[in-house]
């Protein structure tokens, strides 16, 4: 039986999101839809161990909206796998990704759909992401807010700059499904944070493939959502590993669209540039790095970026070894 086609699919990848999902679903229930768009919601349960499945089942049993709520289980852990599953299951022309702690404004879907129509060369676009904090953020938090997917870039649309890794986060990202299917591999190199594996960057990797295929990446100021930040995400135990993980993706991301002849230079520049940043940062802050959270976060990012060259090289060697084994039938 053929599934119905929709203008837009809202895809919500979630891991143990039972306590957070109801707030997102209620916001989606109250979307303003002046053009009567046909849209759907799909939940991608990324191997949760909590009551996520039951929460969605309870919602479905009382779901009287004219847009469906579907549930899919993706057992392979990692946000990259969950997003790929969402692309496979989505029936919309556009796929709008929400994290399970993203609360969209009432006109978010309408604004997303209209922007896609107005900008037909946009393979992906994102809007304004505002922080909704459980507790007051630390002093100078604005310096690292973008690392927590909090972004406001003003009131005018503009093109992002993929060549310099200036790209939007995956939270609140809207993609043209056909563009993604044609440009993004079903298995990306970066999988997202999984257990002790802390390397991030899976969002940027997908966008770089879209850019390579000729699609534009845009900022749409008319799309607003709130990103709920609980207390623990403002503590050192969470923030410093986050900074390292984002930093570790630096070199692998720069290599994706680089010409082979340019890769040695990128590798060296990544090392030297981050060594310089680490030394300057140490000279500037000294022992304050032990007590001040924001400078410590920045230092961890520089360290992760430095190590990203060796992380990329190590993975390149493993990839070449695997290719040789495959060719020899091992």
């Amino acid at each position: 039986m053929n599934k119905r086609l929709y203008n837009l699919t809202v895809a919500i990848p979630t891991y143990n999101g039972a306590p957070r999902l109801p707030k997102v679903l209620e916001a989606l229930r109250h979307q303003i839809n002046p053009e009567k768009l046909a849209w759907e919601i799909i939940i991608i349960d990324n191997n949760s161990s909590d009551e996520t499945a039951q929460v969605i089942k309870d919602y479905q049993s009382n779901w009287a909206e004219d847009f469906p709520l579907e549930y899919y289980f993706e057992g392979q852990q990692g946000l990259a796998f969950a997003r790929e599953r969402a692309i496979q299951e989505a029936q919309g022309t556009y796929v709008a990704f929400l994290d399970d702690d993203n609360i969209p404004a009432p006109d978010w879907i309408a604004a997303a759909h209209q922007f896609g129509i107005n900008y037909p060369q946009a393979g992906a676009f994102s809007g304004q992401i505002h922080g909704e904090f459980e507790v007051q953020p630390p002093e100078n938090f604005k310096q690292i807010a973008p690392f927590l997917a909090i972004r406001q870039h003003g009131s005018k649309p503009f093109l992002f700059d993929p060549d310099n890794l200036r790209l939007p986060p995956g939270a609140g990202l809207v993609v043209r499904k056909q563009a993604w299917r044609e440009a993004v591999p079903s298995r990306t190199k970066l999988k997202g944070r999984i257990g002790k594996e802390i390397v991030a960057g899976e969002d940027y990797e997908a966008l770089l493939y879209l850019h390579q295929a000729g699609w534009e990446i845009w900022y749409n100021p008319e799309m607003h959502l709130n990103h709920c930040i609980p207390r623990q995400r403002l503590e050192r135990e969470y923030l410093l590993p986050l900074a390292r993980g984002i930093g570790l993706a630096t070199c692998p991301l720069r290599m994706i669209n680089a010409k082979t002849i340019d890769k040695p230079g990128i590798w060296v520049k990544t090392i030297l540039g981050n060594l310089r940043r680490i030394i300057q940062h140490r000279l500037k802050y000294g022992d304050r790095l032990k007590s001040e959270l924001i400078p410590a976060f920045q230092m961890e990012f520089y360290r992760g970026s430095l190590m990203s060259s060796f992380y990329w090289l190590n993975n390149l060697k493993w990839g070449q070894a695997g290719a040789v084994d495959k060719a020899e039938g091992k």
Side-chain angles (χ1 to χ4, degrees), residues 122-235:
F125 48 93
S126 180
Q128 303 200 45
I129 307 175
H130 310 276
E132 184 176 309
F133 301 97
E134 182 182 8
V135 297
Q136 184 69 24
E139 186 179 0
N140 298 322
F141 173 76
K142 287 185 178 180
Q143 295 181 34
I144 67 166
F147 289 89
L148 275 78
I150 298 172
R151 312 280 183 95
Q152 295 104 46
H153 299 293
S155 59
K156 295 183 179 180
F158 67 82
L159 273 170
F160 283 99
D161 182 10
D163 292 328
N164 290 299
L165 297 186
R166 296 190 181 97
L167 290 164
L173 183 72
V174 182
V175 303
R176 200 175 298 267
K177 185 179 71 172
Q178 192 59 35
W180 181 294
R181 294 185 70 173
E182 292 173 356
V184 180
S186 59
R187 290 291 181 263
T188 53
K189 296 180 177 68
L190 301 172
K191 310 303 180 188
R193 292 180 289 275
I194 309 170
K196 294 182 179 180
E197 179 69 38
I198 62 171
V199 181
E202 70 284 350
D203 303 331
Y204 279 22
E205 182 180 356
L207 291 172
L208 289 171
Y209 291 129
L210 287 170
H211 172 62
Q212 186 180 54
W215 290 97
E216 296 174 349
I217 317 297
W218 279 85
Y219 167 68
N220 174 15
E222 301 303 317
M223 292 165 51
H224 293 262
L225 64 80
N226 283 359
H227 184 189
C228 300
I229 308 293
R231 176 192 302 268
Q232 60 268 28
R233 289 194 182 182
L234 297 175
E235 296 173 350

